Amino acid sequence: MIVHVNTFGLSGIKGFFVDAEINLAKGLPYFDIIGMGNIAVKEAADRIKPAIENIGYKFPLGRITVNLAPASIRKEGAHFDLAIAVGILKCAGYIKSKIEKYAFIGELSLDGVLRPVKGIMPMIQSAAQSGIYKCIVPLENADEAALVNNCKIFPAATLNEVLYITENSRNPWRICENNLHNNVSFGDFIDVKGQKEAIRAAEIAAAGGHNILFIGAPGCGKTMIASRIPSIMPKLSIEESMEITPIYSVLGMLGKEGMLIRNLPFRTVYPDVTKAGLIGGGNKPVPGEISLAHKGILFLDELAEFDRNVIQSLRQPMEAGKVLISRCGDFVEFPSDFMLVASTNPCKCGKLLEGNGRCSCTPYQAKQYLSKISKPLLDRIDIHVPVRQVCFNSEKSNETSSIIRERVIAAREKQKKRFAGTDIHLNGKMTGKQIREYCHITTECELLLKSAADLAESSMRGYEKFIKIGRTIADLDGRENINEEDIAEALQYRFLDSFRPEVAV
Ligand SMILES: [Zn+2]
């Protein structure tokens, strides 16, 4: 007798359908699982037999063969246990009702208790896409599973409860409600003393999706400003939340409540990060920080201290908005569309911008320090601004984050309309061709740009960056034309183009 049971596997952050075929034939006792399973899958036999016996059923005698199809895709994890156990119980005649409408996902312990698994949300999303709308999952995964709207989730604590659900099509213990939490609590810009220029630069960066670098001494407020950028960004849409949450799900980061991620991701990364930690990887590939920052912000703290090779690995994902991780000739893809925010000291001692000879570095040391930042990465950062120590009696900002956010949202709406029908929606993503198409500048602006570019020996790319930033400044002001003031302001946000540390010492 052959029984088919629906279940799901996980590849990267995507679920895929698995047909668990169970065949019970006469013969000497035998139990094997085939279909490209890893060790955890192979060991299922050792968990399932005692689990079935310990909930009071006799394990069927004979030859049991389990095939996890499609056999061409590698399968990992212990979450196929439940589907296999249900198939065996069905083969043995212990389950009378039909089970085709259900998907079964869960790991079994030896006493028949269902254990939670990682990545439940993407697997349930895949079930809904496959037309399977009833899913039996471990109790502890229930809230997370219920994030997928059109699926009915039946949480079960034990294998016995699973049998009850299949016979009665209901769960007497628990109904799962969709869970939607929204507890956004970022710091507010109104708490920041002084730093007008840096806050304005942050507003422009948020509005146009420009990558930004803050340069200043330790403790001058770089991190305080960077960490407040989410408070002026548009809130996540439900669609974006549904896209981000599976990334956290496969890492088991959603916790028991399985909440939908509603906060804009803000991931701080320090120089000791490994390449795998940053872009993802591992034997069973898992997403890295760049994917956890998807649709949000990746904050690289102390950029000049990062390992060059690690930073180098950011290039391709930043360009593509996704990262491909290879594994045994196969590729797993993770999304990585984030805004980059970074901070750095201006020199080794950190005091170079504080003036009055406070910096204790030699001109050579000062020159060396910032040149450690990878050029190709710096080339992808539109805005760089100095952040200086504020005086004790500096005034606090007079604008709350929510006022700034309104301007950011309005500027983003303008960009959305402008780029309708193209593959971008933010000024920061414009290519050279798009800059020429969407940013018309007057002759006066051009003259201003040329003289500034000559002065700073800027490359052509730097020149285009001024225009891009000018475009966002005009958008924030609600204007279609870019004027001289916009360009003049934009010139202030390219600090490193004309900064000569060896002279500043
Ligand atoms: Zn110094």
Side-chain angles (χ1 to χ4, degrees):
M1 181 191 190
I2 296 183
V3 165
H4 294 265
V5 186
N6 304 321
T7 186
F8 288 84
L10 200 59
S11 171
I13 56 159
K14 292 208 164 72
F16 63 91
F17 175 75
V18 174
D19 175 16
E21 296 177 297
I22 293 97
N23 185 43
L24 175 60
K26 285 199 175 122
L28 289 172
Y30 167 88
F31 189 173
D32 196 21
I33 299 168
I34 55 175
M36 279 260 268
N38 72 347
I39 291 174
V41 177
K42 289 275 177 196
E43 286 174 350
D46 302 330
R47 290 186 295 271
I48 291 167
K49 189 166 183 281
I52 288 179
E53 287 171 345
N54 284 326
I55 63 160
Y57 293 92
K58 199 165 163 273
F59 195 79
L61 292 173
R63 296 179 63 81
I64 298 170
T65 310
V66 177
N67 179 33
L68 300 175
S72 57
I73 307 178
R74 195 182 308 274
K75 293 165 201 77
E76 283 158 343
H79 62 271
F80 300 106
D81 287 5
L82 179 61
I84 298 169
V86 165
I88 292 170
L89 289 164
K90 177 81 179 164
C91 280
Y94 298 131
I95 298 177
K96 297 278 185 281
S97 56
K98 291 186 170 173
I99 55 171
E100 294 84 17
K101 291 219 161 68
Y102 291 96
F104 299 85
I105 302 165
E107 177 185 338
L108 283 171
S109 69
L110 301 184
D111 54 359
V113 168
L114 273 187
R115 288 204 168 125
V117 300
K118 286 180 183 173
I120 199 83
M121 185 192 177
M123 289 194 270
I124 303 292
Q125 280 176 322
S126 174
Q129 281 155 12
S130 318
I132 299 165
Y133 301 109
K134 291 180 173 180
C135 299
I136 301 183
V137 304
L139 185 62
E140 284 175 58
N141 286 133
D143 285 342
E144 185 187 323
L147 294 173
V148 182
N149 259 331
N150 39 4
C151 255
K152 197 163 179 190
I153 302 301
F154 297 90
T158 64
L159 188 52
N160 256 329
E161 287 188 18
V162 174
L163 296 187
Y164 185 94
I165 295 165
T166 57
E167 298 297 334
N168 300 283
S169 202
R170 70 184 180 88
N171 187 328
W173 298 278
R174 215 170 121 90
I175 299 289
C176 228
E177 294 297 335
N178 276 356
N179 225 332
L180 215 63
H181 294 259
N182 206 346
N183 53 345
V184 181
S185 59
F186 296 111
D188 198 296
F189 273 116
I190 198 145
D191 307 325
V192 180
K193 274 186 174 180
Q195 309 295 11
K196 273 196 162 165
E197 187 191 10
I199 295 175
R200 169 71 176 164
E203 173 179 345
I204 295 165
H210 302 281
N211 297 327
I212 183 170
L213 170 64
F214 296 103
I215 306 140
C220 69
K222 289 169 293 182
T223 305
M224 186 164 69
I225 296 166
S227 65
R228 280 166 170 75
I229 295 179
S231 73
I232 57 168
M233 300 271 278
K235 289 184 178 159
L236 293 176
S237 67
I238 294 290
E239 290 73 27
E240 287 173 322
S241 286
M242 295 300 280
E243 205 181 316
I244 295 166
T245 308
I247 303 168
Y248 288 77
S249 168
V250 296
L251 288 169
M253 287 168 72
L254 293 178
K256 210 173 154 188
E257 298 82 20
M259 290 188 297
L260 197 60
I261 304 280
R262 296 296 290 139
N263 286 352
L264 194 95
F266 183 91
R267 304 291 305 178
T268 303
V269 181
Y270 301 100
D272 60 354
V273 71
T274 61
K275 192 175 155 192
L278 186 63
I279 69 160
N283 208 2
K284 181 191 170 192
V286 291
E289 289 293 341
I290 59 168
S291 297
L292 290 167
H294 182 54
K295 299 285 170 200
I297 289 168
L298 182 74
F299 177 45
L300 302 181
D301 199 14
E302 294 310 333
L303 187 57
E305 304 287 347
F306 277 73
D307 182 292
R308 248 167 205 276
N309 287 326
V310 173
I311 286 296
Q312 198 70 6
S313 65
L314 278 173
R315 267 178 88 176
Q316 182 270 334
M318 281 179 75
E319 205 98 313
K322 62 187 175 192
V323 58
L324 289 172
I325 312 259
S326 69
R327 159 185 84 150
C328 318
D330 248 358
F331 281 100
V332 182
E333 184 185 302
F334 297 119
S336 67
D337 180 15
F338 57 85
M339 176 176 150
L340 182 80
V341 177
S343 76
T344 184
N345 283 341
C347 62
K348 200 162 174 46
C349 82
K351 303 252 171 78
L352 188 55
L353 300 183
E354 299 301 314
N356 299 336
R358 280 194 231 173
C359 169
S360 58
C361 303
T362 65
Y364 176 76
Q365 283 173 327
K367 194 176 174 198
Q368 280 307 96
Y369 192 76
L370 286 177
S371 67
K372 286 202 291 183
I373 299 175
S374 143
K375 281 278 172 303
L377 181 74
L378 201 55
D379 212 34
R380 282 173 175 73
I381 299 179
D382 287 352
I383 299 178
H384 12 92
V385 276
V387 183
R388 294 186 173 87
Q389 210 80 256
V390 291
C391 321
F392 178 68
N393 53 3
S394 285
E395 274 186 35
K396 276 191 179 181
S397 160
N398 53 2
E399 279 190 319
T400 61
S401 288
S402 64
I403 293 174
I404 304 174
R405 173 192 266 152
E406 275 171 36
R407 288 198 296 267
V408 168
I409 291 172
R412 284 195 171 213
E413 280 303 314
K414 260 184 97 64
Q415 295 168 69
K416 218 176 177 180
K417 281 193 194 128
R418 173 178 309 130
F419 299 124
T422 73
D423 58 346
I424 61 164
H425 58 278
L426 289 168
N427 293 336
K429 303 268 184 201
M430 281 192 286
T431 60
K433 190 168 166 266
Q434 284 165 323
I435 292 173
R436 287 187 288 281
E437 191 179 341
Y438 296 108
C439 309
H440 302 290
I441 53 167
T442 60
T443 325
E444 289 80 20
C445 287
E446 206 158 326
L447 284 173
L448 184 59
L449 272 171
K450 283 218 171 95
S451 59
D454 285 347
L455 214 64
E457 300 159 25
S458 287
S459 62
M460 197 56 207
R461 248 185 123 146
Y463 184 87
E464 286 176 342
K465 289 213 165 80
F466 294 129
I467 304 179
K468 264 204 242 184
I469 302 166
R471 174 70 277 165
T472 302
I473 294 172
D475 285 339
L476 276 167
D477 201 30
R479 277 179 288 105
E480 197 46 47
N481 62 315
I482 304 169
N483 64 27
E484 277 176 89
E485 274 174 45
D486 301 331
I487 297 294
E489 188 183 348
L491 294 174
Q492 298 172 34
Y493 303 127
R494 298 282 303 167
F495 178 71
L496 291 182
D497 284 353
S498 54
F499 183 54
R500 299 283 168 268
E502 65 277 22
V503 180
V505 173

